[in-house]
Amino acid sequence: MKSCLFALLCLIPLPAFTEDWQPPEDPDPQAILNSIRNDVQAKEYETALAKHVWFYENALKYQPGLSGVRLSFALSYWKNLSEVYPPALKKLKETRDEASRHVLDGKNIWQSFQDLAALNRTLDEDTRTKDTFLLLHQQQPPMAKKVFLLAEPALLKAREYQVCGQYLEPEKSYRMMIQSRQVNQRLAKNPRIGPRILEFSDKKFTNDTTILVALLVVNDRAEEARTIADQARQEWKNAEFHKALDSALTGEVPTSWPY
């Protein structure tokens, strides 16, 4: 019933998106994002959408620390709005298309591709991320190399293992994994966040290392895969982790986590 109602709404001519709402002189991006819930409850959908667009375009100018929120929670709230207000979906897709154009034009390539991947994830259209990367792979390999890690979850989802193999740098990647793990372990000493960050760190290290090992195997680089696996076993002596490495050494590529 909900999907039928949405389909009927989509047949009704939509009002043009306007930006009547304006932020205060000294805006607090987090407060503006939080206020959207009240707008939705009051059915002030146009105001809610204007705030979403403003937050996406301007939040980092005021609070750079909101980069993660901007591409996760904020986009999921925007998608939720689109379920009751079709213009929000239209604007979300237009924003994604603009990010895609920026990628292909080479405009701030890392940030643009990061935005593109997050928007496509929100829209459940990861194939578009994969297709955009493959276009870079064919036409602009240096750019593709710069954004490979951002594209990797979508490539894995599409089982583009051989394409991934062309961008693997196992020693460099493994060093980055270790550095990230060490940072998380230091953060875990804070009793307020310790258990949460440790759980995240263990899952992420397991996922990253097993993906790397498995991709090396399926790309006929078994010796390099064994070297990384041996180093990882020494880094973390955990039976479940070692079992996951054994599976990766057979060429079983895990799904990317947390995406």
Side-chain angles (χ1 to χ4, degrees):
M1 179 64 72
K2 183 177 179 182
S3 60
C4 292
L5 177 59
F6 186 83
L8 287 173
L9 286 172
C10 289
L11 296 176
I12 301 172
L14 300 177
F17 170 68
T18 62
E19 297 183 12
D20 291 339
W21 173 85
Q22 295 296 324
E25 288 187 8
D26 186 20
D28 179 342
Q30 185 66 66
I32 289 171
L33 181 64
N34 293 343
S35 73
I36 293 175
R37 178 177 297 179
N38 293 333
D39 297 325
V40 173
Q41 289 176 345
K43 297 186 178 180
E44 296 287 345
Y45 298 142
E46 188 173 341
T47 297
L49 177 54
K51 288 180 179 180
H52 271 304
V53 173
W54 182 90
F55 184 90
Y56 175 84
E57 294 179 349
N58 298 281
L60 301 189
K61 299 175 187 175
Y62 298 93
Q63 295 181 11
L66 289 173
S67 58
V69 172
R70 173 178 172 269
L71 296 181
S72 57
F73 296 112
L75 290 184
S76 69
Y77 300 156
W78 188 345
K79 183 62 163 56
N80 290 342
L81 174 63
S82 76
E83 294 176 2
V84 295
Y85 186 56
L89 180 60
K90 180 175 182 290
K91 187 62 179 178
L92 189 60
K93 289 185 175 182
E94 289 175 353
T95 302
R96 183 273 311 283
D97 293 343
E98 182 179 26
S100 181
R101 287 193 295 272
H102 287 170
V103 168
L104 297 178
D105 289 342
K107 182 178 179 181
N108 195 5
I109 184 67
W110 176 269
Q111 184 63 62
S112 296
F113 202 99
Q114 188 176 45
D115 289 352
L116 176 66
L119 286 158
N120 280 330
R121 225 169 17 246
T122 301
L123 291 163
D124 196 22
E125 295 182 356
D126 289 306
T127 56
R128 287 177 174 263
T129 301
K130 179 261 297 182
D131 290 343
T132 302
F133 181 83
L134 292 180
L135 197 58
L136 292 178
H137 170 65
Q138 294 165 3
Q139 299 179 0
Q140 304 182 66
M143 277 192 191
K145 183 176 181 179
K146 288 181 180 180
V147 300
F148 167 65
L149 291 179
L150 297 172
E152 188 179 38
L155 294 170
L156 292 175
K157 196 172 183 180
R159 303 177 68 87
E160 293 281 356
Y161 301 150
Q162 276 63 48
V163 173
C164 290
Q166 298 183 49
Y167 295 91
L168 296 179
E169 298 178 280
E171 292 184 7
K172 178 180 177 181
S173 295
Y174 184 68
R175 282 199 305 272
M176 291 173 61
M177 294 173 198
I178 293 297
Q179 290 169 2
S180 177
R181 179 172 170 80
Q182 290 172 344
V183 168
N184 288 334
Q185 287 175 331
R186 286 196 295 271
L187 290 173
K189 294 178 181 178
N190 183 330
R192 291 180 298 176
I193 62 174
R196 287 177 295 164
I197 196 68
L198 276 179
E199 181 181 6
F200 172 86
S201 179
D202 288 346
K203 287 184 178 180
K204 192 75 172 80
F205 184 65
T206 298
N207 189 246
D208 288 348
T209 53
T210 52
I211 285 174
L212 176 58
V213 168
L215 285 176
L216 287 169
V217 170
V218 299
N219 281 280
D220 299 322
R221 298 166 65 176
E223 185 174 348
E224 292 171 274
R226 285 192 294 271
T227 297
I228 296 296
D230 289 345
Q231 292 174 1
R233 291 182 204 275
Q234 292 301 314
E235 172 65 26
W236 188 25
K237 300 182 186 302
N238 176 278
E240 287 299 314
F241 176 54
H242 291 190
K243 183 178 178 180
L245 286 171
D246 290 339
S247 179
L249 285 167
T250 69
E252 184 174 336
V253 183
T255 301
S256 183
W257 183 88
Y259 304 124

